[in-house]
Amino acid sequence: MALNFLFYRKSLIALTGLFLCVFLVVHLSANAILLLPNDIASELYNSYSHTLRENPLITVVAYVLYISIVLHAVVALLITLHNRKAKPQKYIMDKSQQNSSWYSKNMGILGTLILIFIIIHLANFWARIKLGIGEEVLLDKNGYKDVFSVTYELFQNIWFVLFYSILAIPLAFHLYHGLKSGFKTLGFYHKKGLRILAKVSLIYAIIMGVGFGIIPIVVYFK
Amino acid sequence: MKITFKIWRQKNSDSKGTLKTYDVDGLTEDMSFLEALDHLNEQLVLKNEEVIAYEYDCREGICGQCGVFINGRAHGPHDHMTTCQLHMRSFKDGDTIVVEPWRAKSFPIIKDLIVDRSAFDRIIEEGAYISSKTGTAPESNAIPIPKAKADKAMDAAACIGCGACVATCKNSSAALFTSAKINHLNSLPQGKAEEHERVEAMTWQMKEEGFGSCTFTGACEVECPEAISITNIAEMNARKLKAKLLG
């Protein structure tokens, strides 16, 4: 039974990963509001995040999200440890860069960078807005929490801008390989379909990487 | 041509191995890589030194015995090639060539460049067979098989079990080998009787042997001498799911 669990572990990573991919689409779409002129962006962004907080369905989805992130990371760690045991001795000369991409071989490192990002990202926003830890979030003229100002102020700090923008790069590579291989793990083997999937994954990863990477920079220079 | 070989020498599975340097002269570009090793061994015999142990059988790229890691890649610098098909013209005069055995927990080193690949045999034993009537040979056209299906089964059946997929995989995963064996039989009508048990039993044994899991880096299909597609692994995953639901 324990061994059988190994098979499901991979599926679990794929399923949680694909869910997180869908989440990122929604997240980036909402963040695109920040690219609008400040007065419009402020109102739209605050009312949007207010609507999210008030919706019970979103509350449920949020818990699924937290669980997905934790499961994805923990199970990936378990699999990585298991995989390392399968190759206890490395090659003295290794030219594996000739047969596989560096990002496909380093999903664990890319994932760890993303996890560090998520923790800091949650501390910046989620802890302040949702948990009320740190400086109090003021209300805007409509009586909604002024999430826009929290974002705007954060991205006046060049170090946070750099951190958020640079970390979008490992995200893009992780997503590219993750999306492509997640479907294969779940048993999608249609040859032509896989070729299309590879292209879709590339486009998806570029949109996510550029999208999340550019927003902090745009906000900084606004 | 003159080549400096750095070859992994290990007395037995319990001892600690190390790279040993050999300067070899008198090689020609027409020699196969195995012939170059033969040439080196002949010199070692003359010097009364212990010869290097390596495996080979057919020397024509179909038996899968001659797998070694050459200059950081399975079967040397080319894609889709066995060691015996590799020739010294792929190297330059004066080159240094590092030769190591397959490295994986499930392929313990027996001596020098020889590893124990019996884990593959045990995976085969678990389900790579079909139930068939004994007696006279059946009429060859009794079971109609569409060309596309026959081709697909043949592509998977081409696996020679050399172990390059495991050797090159950073996780030492045997997923390409196991999926090739499963898909070969499961895509043919003769394999239908044990369809689900086969997937369950062979993937179970694969894990039991201590191979790692597949993360689709794609290295295996590049190093596979038969160019078996990594799509086979995705198909095995689908068959595994089907076996769980219907088996």
Side-chain angles (χ1 to χ4, degrees), chain B residues 58-91:
Chain B
C58 74
R59 298 207 181 209
E60 56 184 11
I62 54 168
C63 77
Q65 292 302 299
C66 59
V68 284
F69 225 69
I70 302 162
N71 271 354
R73 284 190 64 183
H75 304 298
H78 304 293
D79 299 351
H80 313 309
M81 191 183 268
T82 55
T83 303
C84 60
Q85 291 169 304
L86 174 68
H87 285 74
M88 294 312 287
R89 57 178 166 267
S90 297
F91 303 96

PDB file of all heavy atoms in Angstrom, chain B residues 58-91:
ATOM      1  N   CYS B  58      26.420  -8.993 -28.979  1.00  0.00           N
ATOM      2  CA  CYS B  58      26.246  -9.049 -30.440  1.00  0.00           C
ATOM      3  C   CYS B  58      27.176  -8.120 -31.220  1.00  0.00           C
ATOM      4  O   CYS B  58      27.540  -8.402 -32.338  1.00  0.00           O
ATOM      5  CB  CYS B  58      24.799  -8.741 -30.790  1.00  0.00           C
ATOM      6  SG  CYS B  58      24.362  -6.999 -30.617  1.00  0.00           S
ATOM      7  N   ARG B  59      27.541  -7.004 -30.641  1.00  0.00           N
ATOM      8  CA  ARG B  59      28.353  -5.965 -31.299  1.00  0.00           C
ATOM      9  C   ARG B  59      27.704  -5.446 -32.584  1.00  0.00           C
ATOM     10  O   ARG B  59      28.391  -5.043 -33.516  1.00  0.00           O
ATOM     11  CB  ARG B  59      29.771  -6.473 -31.596  1.00  0.00           C
ATOM     12  CG  ARG B  59      30.530  -6.845 -30.327  1.00  0.00           C
ATOM     13  CD  ARG B  59      32.003  -6.712 -30.507  1.00  0.00           C
ATOM     14  NE  ARG B  59      32.699  -7.101 -29.274  1.00  0.00           N
ATOM     15  CZ  ARG B  59      33.864  -6.611 -28.909  1.00  0.00           C
ATOM     16  NH1 ARG B  59      34.477  -5.739 -29.660  1.00  0.00           N
ATOM     17  NH2 ARG B  59      34.427  -6.990 -27.788  1.00  0.00           N
ATOM     18  N   GLU B  60      26.369  -5.533 -32.639  1.00  0.00           N
ATOM     19  CA  GLU B  60      25.689  -4.940 -33.787  1.00  0.00           C
ATOM     20  C   GLU B  60      24.450  -4.149 -33.365  1.00  0.00           C
ATOM     21  O   GLU B  60      23.521  -3.945 -34.132  1.00  0.00           O
ATOM     22  CB  GLU B  60      25.349  -5.994 -34.846  1.00  0.00           C
ATOM     23  CG  GLU B  60      24.523  -7.158 -34.321  1.00  0.00           C
ATOM     24  CD  GLU B  60      24.278  -8.226 -35.385  1.00  0.00           C
ATOM     25  OE1 GLU B  60      24.917  -8.171 -36.444  1.00  0.00           O
ATOM     26  OE2 GLU B  60      23.450  -9.112 -35.141  1.00  0.00           O
ATOM     27  N   GLY B  61      24.464  -3.717 -32.121  1.00  0.00           N
ATOM     28  CA  GLY B  61      23.430  -2.789 -31.659  1.00  0.00           C
ATOM     29  C   GLY B  61      22.074  -3.373 -31.348  1.00  0.00           C
ATOM     30  O   GLY B  61      21.087  -2.641 -31.316  1.00  0.00           O
ATOM     31  N   ILE B  62      21.983  -4.703 -31.146  1.00  0.00           N
ATOM     32  CA  ILE B  62      20.645  -5.236 -30.858  1.00  0.00           C
ATOM     33  C   ILE B  62      20.538  -6.013 -29.550  1.00  0.00           C
ATOM     34  O   ILE B  62      19.446  -6.363 -29.142  1.00  0.00           O
ATOM     35  CB  ILE B  62      20.117  -6.135 -32.011  1.00  0.00           C
ATOM     36  CG1 ILE B  62      21.114  -7.239 -32.326  1.00  0.00           C
ATOM     37  CG2 ILE B  62      19.781  -5.296 -33.238  1.00  0.00           C
ATOM     38  CD1 ILE B  62      20.538  -8.316 -33.242  1.00  0.00           C
ATOM     39  N   CYS B  63      21.652  -6.288 -28.872  1.00  0.00           N
ATOM     40  CA  CYS B  63      21.526  -7.133 -27.682  1.00  0.00           C
ATOM     41  C   CYS B  63      21.372  -6.332 -26.387  1.00  0.00           C
ATOM     42  O   CYS B  63      20.809  -6.814 -25.416  1.00  0.00           O
ATOM     43  CB  CYS B  63      22.703  -8.098 -27.580  1.00  0.00           C
ATOM     44  SG  CYS B  63      24.221  -7.340 -26.975  1.00  0.00           S
ATOM     45  N   GLY B  64      21.861  -5.102 -26.390  1.00  0.00           N
ATOM     46  CA  GLY B  64      21.681  -4.249 -25.214  1.00  0.00           C
ATOM     47  C   GLY B  64      22.634  -4.532 -24.066  1.00  0.00           C
ATOM     48  O   GLY B  64      22.395  -4.129 -22.940  1.00  0.00           O
ATOM     49  N   GLN B  65      23.724  -5.232 -24.329  1.00  0.00           N
ATOM     50  CA  GLN B  65      24.642  -5.601 -23.241  1.00  0.00           C
ATOM     51  C   GLN B  65      25.717  -4.559 -22.957  1.00  0.00           C
ATOM     52  O   GLN B  65      26.217  -4.475 -21.853  1.00  0.00           O
ATOM     53  CB  GLN B  65      25.335  -6.934 -23.588  1.00  0.00           C
ATOM     54  CG  GLN B  65      24.402  -8.119 -23.601  1.00  0.00           C
ATOM     55  CD  GLN B  65      23.706  -8.305 -22.275  1.00  0.00           C
ATOM     56  OE1 GLN B  65      24.326  -8.512 -21.254  1.00  0.00           O
ATOM     57  NE2 GLN B  65      22.391  -8.188 -22.296  1.00  0.00           N
ATOM     58  N   CYS B  66      26.112  -3.774 -23.973  1.00  0.00           N
ATOM     59  CA  CYS B  66      27.353  -3.007 -23.882  1.00  0.00           C
ATOM     60  C   CYS B  66      27.215  -1.612 -23.269  1.00  0.00           C
ATOM     61  O   CYS B  66      28.018  -0.739 -23.551  1.00  0.00           O
ATOM     62  CB  CYS B  66      27.992  -2.915 -25.257  1.00  0.00           C
ATOM     63  SG  CYS B  66      26.938  -2.127 -26.486  1.00  0.00           S
ATOM     64  N   GLY B  67      26.188  -1.425 -22.446  1.00  0.00           N
ATOM     65  CA  GLY B  67      25.970  -0.081 -21.914  1.00  0.00           C
ATOM     66  C   GLY B  67      27.027   0.408 -20.944  1.00  0.00           C
ATOM     67  O   GLY B  67      27.259  -0.202 -19.906  1.00  0.00           O
ATOM     68  N   VAL B  68      27.700   1.500 -21.302  1.00  0.00           N
ATOM     69  CA  VAL B  68      28.581   2.207 -20.365  1.00  0.00           C
ATOM     70  C   VAL B  68      28.418   3.712 -20.572  1.00  0.00           C
ATOM     71  O   VAL B  68      27.936   4.150 -21.620  1.00  0.00           O
ATOM     72  CB  VAL B  68      30.084   1.837 -20.523  1.00  0.00           C
ATOM     73  CG1 VAL B  68      30.378   0.487 -19.914  1.00  0.00           C
ATOM     74  CG2 VAL B  68      30.529   1.903 -21.964  1.00  0.00           C
ATOM     75  N   PHE B  69      28.810   4.473 -19.573  1.00  0.00           N
ATOM     76  CA  PHE B  69      28.701   5.932 -19.628  1.00  0.00           C
ATOM     77  C   PHE B  69      30.019   6.478 -20.173  1.00  0.00           C
ATOM     78  O   PHE B  69      31.077   6.285 -19.562  1.00  0.00           O
ATOM     79  CB  PHE B  69      28.429   6.468 -18.226  1.00  0.00           C
ATOM     80  CG  PHE B  69      27.353   7.511 -18.181  1.00  0.00           C
ATOM     81  CD1 PHE B  69      26.035   7.174 -18.422  1.00  0.00           C
ATOM     82  CD2 PHE B  69      27.663   8.843 -17.894  1.00  0.00           C
ATOM     83  CE1 PHE B  69      25.024   8.135 -18.370  1.00  0.00           C
ATOM     84  CE2 PHE B  69      26.667   9.807 -17.843  1.00  0.00           C
ATOM     85  CZ  PHE B  69      25.343   9.453 -18.077  1.00  0.00           C
ATOM     86  N   ILE B  70      29.969   7.137 -21.325  1.00  0.00           N
ATOM     87  CA  ILE B  70      31.190   7.604 -21.984  1.00  0.00           C
ATOM     88  C   ILE B  70      31.186   9.129 -22.064  1.00  0.00           C
ATOM     89  O   ILE B  70      30.265   9.714 -22.655  1.00  0.00           O
ATOM     90  CB  ILE B  70      31.309   6.992 -23.400  1.00  0.00           C
ATOM     91  CG1 ILE B  70      31.305   5.455 -23.303  1.00  0.00           C
ATOM     92  CG2 ILE B  70      32.561   7.495 -24.107  1.00  0.00           C
ATOM     93  CD1 ILE B  70      30.980   4.761 -24.601  1.00  0.00           C
ATOM     94  N   ASN B  71      32.172   9.747 -21.470  1.00  0.00           N
ATOM     95  CA  ASN B  71      32.281  11.211 -21.450  1.00  0.00           C
ATOM     96  C   ASN B  71      30.975  11.896 -21.037  1.00  0.00           C
ATOM     97  O   ASN B  71      30.499  12.832 -21.687  1.00  0.00           O
ATOM     98  CB  ASN B  71      32.738  11.732 -22.820  1.00  0.00           C
ATOM     99  CG  ASN B  71      34.254  11.788 -22.902  1.00  0.00           C
ATOM    100  OD1 ASN B  71      34.946  11.539 -21.909  1.00  0.00           O
ATOM    101  ND2 ASN B  71      34.769  12.112 -24.075  1.00  0.00           N
ATOM    102  N   GLY B  72      30.370  11.404 -19.974  1.00  0.00           N
ATOM    103  CA  GLY B  72      29.205  12.066 -19.404  1.00  0.00           C
ATOM    104  C   GLY B  72      27.882  11.766 -20.065  1.00  0.00           C
ATOM    105  O   GLY B  72      26.867  12.383 -19.746  1.00  0.00           O
ATOM    106  N   ARG B  73      27.876  10.818 -21.007  1.00  0.00           N
ATOM    107  CA  ARG B  73      26.595  10.450 -21.628  1.00  0.00           C
ATOM    108  C   ARG B  73      26.486   8.934 -21.815  1.00  0.00           C
ATOM    109  O   ARG B  73      27.499   8.249 -22.033  1.00  0.00           O
ATOM    110  CB  ARG B  73      26.446  11.146 -22.979  1.00  0.00           C
ATOM    111  CG  ARG B  73      26.088  12.605 -22.816  1.00  0.00           C
ATOM    112  CD  ARG B  73      25.714  13.221 -24.138  1.00  0.00           C
ATOM    113  NE  ARG B  73      24.509  12.630 -24.700  1.00  0.00           N
ATOM    114  CZ  ARG B  73      24.028  12.988 -25.894  1.00  0.00           C
ATOM    115  NH1 ARG B  73      24.636  13.886 -26.620  1.00  0.00           N
ATOM    116  NH2 ARG B  73      22.917  12.440 -26.351  1.00  0.00           N
ATOM    117  N   ALA B  74      25.248   8.428 -21.762  1.00  0.00           N
ATOM    118  CA  ALA B  74      25.026   6.999 -21.946  1.00  0.00           C
ATOM    119  C   ALA B  74      25.396   6.626 -23.380  1.00  0.00           C
ATOM    120  O   ALA B  74      24.936   7.269 -24.324  1.00  0.00           O
ATOM    121  CB  ALA B  74      23.565   6.654 -21.673  1.00  0.00           C
ATOM    122  N   HIS B  75      26.201   5.621 -23.558  1.00  0.00           N
ATOM    123  CA  HIS B  75      26.667   5.139 -24.874  1.00  0.00           C
ATOM    124  C   HIS B  75      27.430   6.206 -25.664  1.00  0.00           C
ATOM    125  O   HIS B  75      27.456   6.156 -26.901  1.00  0.00           O
ATOM    126  CB  HIS B  75      25.510   4.673 -25.767  1.00  0.00           C
ATOM    127  CG  HIS B  75      24.627   3.621 -25.186  1.00  0.00           C
ATOM    128  ND1 HIS B  75      25.071   2.380 -24.840  1.00  0.00           N
ATOM    129  CD2 HIS B  75      23.295   3.617 -24.921  1.00  0.00           C
ATOM    130  CE1 HIS B  75      24.042   1.658 -24.395  1.00  0.00           C
ATOM    131  NE2 HIS B  75      22.957   2.387 -24.415  1.00  0.00           N
ATOM    132  N   GLY B  76      27.980   7.190 -24.996  1.00  0.00           N
ATOM    133  CA  GLY B  76      28.814   8.159 -25.706  1.00  0.00           C
ATOM    134  C   GLY B  76      28.097   9.382 -26.254  1.00  0.00           C
ATOM    135  O   GLY B  76      26.931   9.609 -25.933  1.00  0.00           O
ATOM    136  N   PRO B  77      28.798  10.156 -27.093  1.00  0.00           N
ATOM    137  CA  PRO B  77      28.319  11.493 -27.448  1.00  0.00           C
ATOM    138  C   PRO B  77      27.115  11.559 -28.398  1.00  0.00           C
ATOM    139  O   PRO B  77      26.521  12.617 -28.544  1.00  0.00           O
ATOM    140  CB  PRO B  77      29.539  12.142 -28.107  1.00  0.00           C
ATOM    141  CG  PRO B  77      30.349  11.003 -28.621  1.00  0.00           C
ATOM    142  CD  PRO B  77      30.123   9.872 -27.671  1.00  0.00           C
ATOM    143  N   HIS B  78      26.768  10.467 -29.058  1.00  0.00           N
ATOM    144  CA  HIS B  78      25.666  10.530 -30.031  1.00  0.00           C
ATOM    145  C   HIS B  78      24.329  10.155 -29.411  1.00  0.00           C
ATOM    146  O   HIS B  78      24.275   9.399 -28.451  1.00  0.00           O
ATOM    147  CB  HIS B  78      25.949   9.602 -31.211  1.00  0.00           C
ATOM    148  CG  HIS B  78      27.247   9.878 -31.889  1.00  0.00           C
ATOM    149  ND1 HIS B  78      27.482  11.038 -32.585  1.00  0.00           N
ATOM    150  CD2 HIS B  78      28.394   9.155 -31.955  1.00  0.00           C
ATOM    151  CE1 HIS B  78      28.713  11.015 -33.064  1.00  0.00           C
ATOM    152  NE2 HIS B  78      29.298   9.899 -32.683  1.00  0.00           N
ATOM    153  N   ASP B  79      23.240  10.667 -30.000  1.00  0.00           N
ATOM    154  CA  ASP B  79      21.903  10.263 -29.571  1.00  0.00           C
ATOM    155  C   ASP B  79      21.590   8.889 -30.192  1.00  0.00           C
ATOM    156  O   ASP B  79      22.108   8.548 -31.250  1.00  0.00           O
ATOM    157  CB  ASP B  79      20.844  11.255 -30.086  1.00  0.00           C
ATOM    158  CG  ASP B  79      21.072  12.670 -29.558  1.00  0.00           C
ATOM    159  OD1 ASP B  79      21.931  12.835 -28.671  1.00  0.00           O
ATOM    160  OD2 ASP B  79      20.387  13.588 -30.043  1.00  0.00           O
ATOM    161  N   HIS B  80      20.690   8.158 -29.550  1.00  0.00           N
ATOM    162  CA  HIS B  80      20.147   6.912 -30.100  1.00  0.00           C
ATOM    163  C   HIS B  80      21.224   5.957 -30.620  1.00  0.00           C
ATOM    164  O   HIS B  80      21.220   5.582 -31.794  1.00  0.00           O
ATOM    165  CB  HIS B  80      19.166   7.213 -31.250  1.00  0.00           C
ATOM    166  CG  HIS B  80      18.176   8.284 -30.929  1.00  0.00           C
ATOM    167  ND1 HIS B  80      17.419   8.277 -29.786  1.00  0.00           N
ATOM    168  CD2 HIS B  80      17.812   9.394 -31.613  1.00  0.00           C
ATOM    169  CE1 HIS B  80      16.641   9.342 -29.774  1.00  0.00           C
ATOM    170  NE2 HIS B  80      16.861  10.047 -30.859  1.00  0.00           N
ATOM    171  N   MET B  81      22.157   5.596 -29.779  1.00  0.00           N
ATOM    172  CA  MET B  81      23.227   4.713 -30.247  1.00  0.00           C
ATOM    173  C   MET B  81      23.725   3.830 -29.109  1.00  0.00           C
ATOM    174  O   MET B  81      23.767   4.261 -27.964  1.00  0.00           O
ATOM    175  CB  MET B  81      24.381   5.564 -30.780  1.00  0.00           C
ATOM    176  CG  MET B  81      25.422   4.759 -31.520  1.00  0.00           C
ATOM    177  SD  MET B  81      26.789   5.779 -32.034  1.00  0.00           S
ATOM    178  CE  MET B  81      26.261   6.255 -33.664  1.00  0.00           C
ATOM    179  N   THR B  82      24.093   2.575 -29.432  1.00  0.00           N
ATOM    180  CA  THR B  82      24.708   1.705 -28.427  1.00  0.00           C
ATOM    181  C   THR B  82      26.231   1.923 -28.447  1.00  0.00           C
ATOM    182  O   THR B  82      26.758   2.491 -29.402  1.00  0.00           O
ATOM    183  CB  THR B  82      24.418   0.217 -28.741  1.00  0.00           C
ATOM    184  OG1 THR B  82      24.869  -0.047 -30.063  1.00  0.00           O
ATOM    185  CG2 THR B  82      22.943  -0.114 -28.616  1.00  0.00           C
ATOM    186  N   THR B  83      26.899   1.424 -27.410  1.00  0.00           N
ATOM    187  CA  THR B  83      28.350   1.608 -27.321  1.00  0.00           C
ATOM    188  C   THR B  83      29.075   0.911 -28.475  1.00  0.00           C
ATOM    189  O   THR B  83      30.036   1.445 -29.029  1.00  0.00           O
ATOM    190  CB  THR B  83      28.857   1.054 -25.972  1.00  0.00           C
ATOM    191  OG1 THR B  83      28.145   1.723 -24.921  1.00  0.00           O
ATOM    192  CG2 THR B  83      30.341   1.282 -25.790  1.00  0.00           C
ATOM    193  N   CYS B  84      28.585  -0.261 -28.867  1.00  0.00           N
ATOM    194  CA  CYS B  84      29.282  -1.014 -29.927  1.00  0.00           C
ATOM    195  C   CYS B  84      29.155  -0.315 -31.287  1.00  0.00           C
ATOM    196  O   CYS B  84      29.962  -0.557 -32.181  1.00  0.00           O
ATOM    197  CB  CYS B  84      28.745  -2.439 -30.007  1.00  0.00           C
ATOM    198  SG  CYS B  84      26.985  -2.550 -30.374  1.00  0.00           S
ATOM    199  N   GLN B  85      28.137   0.532 -31.443  1.00  0.00           N
ATOM    200  CA  GLN B  85      27.978   1.249 -32.715  1.00  0.00           C
ATOM    201  C   GLN B  85      28.801   2.536 -32.751  1.00  0.00           C
ATOM    202  O   GLN B  85      28.900   3.192 -33.783  1.00  0.00           O
ATOM    203  CB  GLN B  85      26.501   1.607 -32.937  1.00  0.00           C
ATOM    204  CG  GLN B  85      25.621   0.406 -33.209  1.00  0.00           C
ATOM    205  CD  GLN B  85      24.156   0.792 -33.163  1.00  0.00           C
ATOM    206  OE1 GLN B  85      23.668   1.322 -32.174  1.00  0.00           O
ATOM    207  NE2 GLN B  85      23.455   0.549 -34.252  1.00  0.00           N
ATOM    208  N   LEU B  86      29.345   2.883 -31.585  1.00  0.00           N
ATOM    209  CA  LEU B  86      30.160   4.095 -31.502  1.00  0.00           C
ATOM    210  C   LEU B  86      31.569   3.780 -32.009  1.00  0.00           C
ATOM    211  O   LEU B  86      32.141   2.755 -31.649  1.00  0.00           O
ATOM    212  CB  LEU B  86      30.214   4.543 -30.031  1.00  0.00           C
ATOM    213  CG  LEU B  86      31.120   5.720 -29.677  1.00  0.00           C
ATOM    214  CD1 LEU B  86      30.587   7.007 -30.280  1.00  0.00           C
ATOM    215  CD2 LEU B  86      31.220   5.862 -28.161  1.00  0.00           C
ATOM    216  N   HIS B  87      32.090   4.640 -32.863  1.00  0.00           N
ATOM    217  CA  HIS B  87      33.430   4.396 -33.412  1.00  0.00           C
ATOM    218  C   HIS B  87      34.408   5.469 -32.945  1.00  0.00           C
ATOM    219  O   HIS B  87      34.014   6.568 -32.573  1.00  0.00           O
ATOM    220  CB  HIS B  87      33.371   4.313 -34.942  1.00  0.00           C
ATOM    221  CG  HIS B  87      32.800   3.021 -35.418  1.00  0.00           C
ATOM    222  ND1 HIS B  87      31.458   2.750 -35.326  1.00  0.00           N
ATOM    223  CD2 HIS B  87      33.391   1.907 -35.931  1.00  0.00           C
ATOM    224  CE1 HIS B  87      31.239   1.518 -35.787  1.00  0.00           C
ATOM    225  NE2 HIS B  87      32.393   0.991 -36.158  1.00  0.00           N
ATOM    226  N   MET B  88      35.680   5.130 -33.025  1.00  0.00           N
ATOM    227  CA  MET B  88      36.712   6.050 -32.528  1.00  0.00           C
ATOM    228  C   MET B  88      36.812   7.315 -33.378  1.00  0.00           C
ATOM    229  O   MET B  88      37.391   8.307 -32.949  1.00  0.00           O
ATOM    230  CB  MET B  88      38.079   5.338 -32.455  1.00  0.00           C
ATOM    231  CG  MET B  88      38.135   4.215 -31.422  1.00  0.00           C
ATOM    232  SD  MET B  88      37.472   4.671 -29.808  1.00  0.00           S
ATOM    233  CE  MET B  88      38.765   5.739 -29.215  1.00  0.00           C
ATOM    234  N   ARG B  89      36.207   7.304 -34.582  1.00  0.00           N
ATOM    235  CA  ARG B  89      36.215   8.524 -35.400  1.00  0.00           C
ATOM    236  C   ARG B  89      35.372   9.634 -34.762  1.00  0.00           C
ATOM    237  O   ARG B  89      35.413  10.775 -35.191  1.00  0.00           O
ATOM    238  CB  ARG B  89      35.731   8.225 -36.825  1.00  0.00           C
ATOM    239  CG  ARG B  89      34.356   7.596 -36.922  1.00  0.00           C
ATOM    240  CD  ARG B  89      33.946   7.380 -38.380  1.00  0.00           C
ATOM    241  NE  ARG B  89      32.796   6.501 -38.491  1.00  0.00           N
ATOM    242  CZ  ARG B  89      32.879   5.181 -38.661  1.00  0.00           C
ATOM    243  NH1 ARG B  89      34.051   4.603 -38.768  1.00  0.00           N
ATOM    244  NH2 ARG B  89      31.784   4.457 -38.726  1.00  0.00           N
ATOM    245  N   SER B  90      34.578   9.257 -33.751  1.00  0.00           N
ATOM    246  CA  SER B  90      33.803  10.276 -33.027  1.00  0.00           C
ATOM    247  C   SER B  90      34.678  11.064 -32.057  1.00  0.00           C
ATOM    248  O   SER B  90      34.212  12.006 -31.428  1.00  0.00           O
ATOM    249  CB  SER B  90      32.661   9.619 -32.250  1.00  0.00           C
ATOM    250  OG  SER B  90      31.778   9.000 -33.150  1.00  0.00           O
ATOM    251  N   PHE B  91      35.937  10.628 -31.912  1.00  0.00           N
ATOM    252  CA  PHE B  91      36.861  11.322 -31.010  1.00  0.00           C
ATOM    253  C   PHE B  91      38.063  11.837 -31.803  1.00  0.00           C
ATOM    254  O   PHE B  91      38.286  11.408 -32.938  1.00  0.00           O
ATOM    255  CB  PHE B  91      37.341  10.367 -29.903  1.00  0.00           C
ATOM    256  CG  PHE B  91      36.205   9.771 -29.118  1.00  0.00           C
ATOM    257  CD1 PHE B  91      35.697   8.511 -29.443  1.00  0.00           C
ATOM    258  CD2 PHE B  91      35.620  10.468 -28.076  1.00  0.00           C
ATOM    259  CE1 PHE B  91      34.638   7.967 -28.737  1.00  0.00           C
ATOM    260  CE2 PHE B  91      34.564   9.924 -27.364  1.00  0.00           C
ATOM    261  CZ  PHE B  91      34.070   8.676 -27.699  1.00  0.00           C
TER     262      PHE B  91
END
